Structures are given as C-alpha cells and as structure tokens.
Amino acid sequence: MDSETPATLTLYSPSRRVKLVTPSQADDEAVAILRTHPVTLRFLKFLPETMTAEEVRERRENRAKDSHTLDLIVYVRGEDGSYEIGGSTGVFNMDDLQKSCEAGILVAPKFQGQGVSTEVFYTLFAYAFEEKGFHRISMETSMENLPMRGWLEKTADIRQEGIKKEWWTDMAGGWTDVGSYAILDREWRDKVKERLEKKMTSRNQTEGKIAA
C-alpha cells in the first residue's frame, strides 16, 4: 500500500448509480453550497457558515498536493441517466506504516435517505481495502448525528470504539461530543461488504418494482 494520490480517479458503485471522481474546478461552486448548507452545518458545527468557490478552489488545490489525502466528489445518476453532484467523500491521514486512514462523507440534503451513503461507502471501502491495501479505516461523527450513527451501527455493523467528549469546537465557541468508529480489512471481508451488498440489492429491487 502506498499513499500516492492519483491525479484523476473515477470509481463506480456496482449499480453505477453513484460515481466518485477527483474534484475539479467545475465542482467548486456546488461544493461551496454543500459545505455551507444548514443541513450540513447541523452536525458539522465547526464548518464556516459562508464559503466562496474561490476558497473551495484554494482548499482543493492544497489538498491535492497532500499525498496522504484523497478527496472525491460524489455524483448521483438520475432517471434520465445523467449525473449530478450529490456530495463528497474521501480518505485522509493515510499512514503507510500502520496501513490506516480516516474516511468522511457529506451527502447533499436532496439525496439523504435514498441509499446514497451505502453506495458511496461501499465503493470507497472496496477501493481502500481491496485496491489500496488498507488495514483499518476510522470515522468520526457527532454524537448528535443519529442518522449517521444509525447507518454505521445498524446498516454496516461497524463498531463504535469510544466517545470523545467535547472533541469538536464550533464556530460559536461551543463543543461537540464525537463518536469514534473503525472497520478493519477482515471485518470488511467477513461481514460489512456482504451487508452493504444486500442493502443495495434490496433497495434496487424495491425501486424496480415501484418503477414497474
């Protein structure tokens, strides 16, 4: 496993409903809107309430130079077959020695509750464990973020390792308790991958019946 970040990368979920691509200038405006949306800020209170496309560009270019960070834009396919930005994801703090990294996700409000997180994380985990050779991926989320915690614990059966009291500070000077989660490569192989595949298959079959 090496931490070199590819110049361009495109990953598809099994259904090809979701694709993950390295960010470009064309995404900057949408990313600025996503990162400052009130729904996003509800659980990520440390993010600024305003952000320009220029600030996103600067952030994107700086992070692209960091070989220990891989940012990806989430695109979701609509009924007409075209893709639109539906969020962002990626891995960071990639450690070659420990074969570990951290992962995160933002899903645009209009796509929340539609199974997008499952397809994004399935695609990201498959790449990180099966192609990059990671041993461990950790994730953190606000203890107030019950939808994300529910996905981690119930949908994916990813274990919570602990709670960091008052770990994140927000823009108003307050504090947020944070839940720490982790998944190992063997857990991915032995249970998580299959659970997510069943979840995606079940959803696709249900949507197919509704469409019919």
Side-chain angles (χ1 to χ4, degrees):
M1 193 270 299
D2 65 72
S3 61
E4 289 189 11
T5 301
T8 58
L9 180 69
T10 301
L11 305 171
Y12 286 93
S13 65
S15 69
R16 299 184 78 84
R17 178 191 177 208
V18 164
K19 69 176 178 178
L20 312 181
V21 299
T22 45
S24 70
Q25 183 178 356
D27 307 313
D28 290 347
E29 185 66 37
V31 171
I33 294 172
L34 172 67
R35 291 177 64 84
T36 57
H37 195 285
V39 174
T40 299
L41 298 177
R42 179 183 177 189
F43 299 121
L44 296 175
K45 299 176 183 178
F46 56 83
L47 292 178
E49 294 182 354
T50 60
M51 191 175 198
T52 66
E54 178 62 23
E55 289 171 329
V56 172
R57 180 196 63 77
E58 183 177 355
R59 179 180 184 272
R60 170 175 53 81
E61 292 177 351
N62 288 336
R63 289 171 69 86
K65 298 173 185 176
D66 182 359
S67 63
H68 299 283
T69 297
L70 173 61
D71 286 334
L72 295 166
I73 299 298
V74 175
Y75 277 86
V76 182
R77 187 180 63 193
E79 294 183 359
D80 63 355
S82 64
Y83 286 91
E84 65 175 299
I85 292 180
S88 63
T89 188
V91 294
F92 52 98
N93 291 337
M94 292 188 279
D95 187 317
D96 291 340
L97 181 62
Q98 299 296 328
K99 295 185 178 180
S100 66
C101 67
E102 296 181 50
I105 187 173
L106 287 179
V107 176
K110 69 173 291 184
F111 292 113
Q112 291 182 9
Q114 300 180 28
V116 170
S117 293
T118 298
E119 296 208 35
V120 170
F121 272 133
Y122 180 93
T123 307
L124 185 68
F125 290 162
Y127 175 75
F129 286 126
E130 298 173 14
E131 295 191 41
K132 298 295 289 182
F134 284 108
H135 170 64
R136 170 190 168 92
I137 300 175
S138 60
M139 289 154 283
E140 293 186 341
T141 189
S142 166
M143 289 298 293
E144 299 174 356
N145 192 346
L146 298 183
M148 188 72 252
R149 291 177 58 204
W151 187 91
L152 290 166
E153 297 169 12
K154 298 175 182 178
T155 299
D157 193 20
I158 294 176
R159 57 194 166 83
Q160 182 178 348
E161 294 191 314
I163 300 174
K164 297 179 178 179
K165 303 293 289 184
E166 299 185 358
W167 184 244
W168 290 344
T169 183
D170 62 43
M171 299 302 289
W175 295 93
T176 299
D177 294 342
V178 173
S180 298
Y181 294 81
I183 173 177
L184 303 178
D185 51 356
R186 63 175 176 271
E187 293 171 333
W188 166 251
R189 294 192 305 268
D190 294 346
K191 63 173 183 176
V192 177
K193 182 177 183 179
E194 183 178 4
R195 287 178 68 93
L196 299 189
E197 287 175 342
K198 288 182 177 179
K199 183 73 172 179
M200 290 186 294
T201 299
S202 175
R203 183 175 186 85
N204 289 337
Q205 290 176 342
T206 299
E207 290 180 347
K209 291 178 181 178
I210 293 175

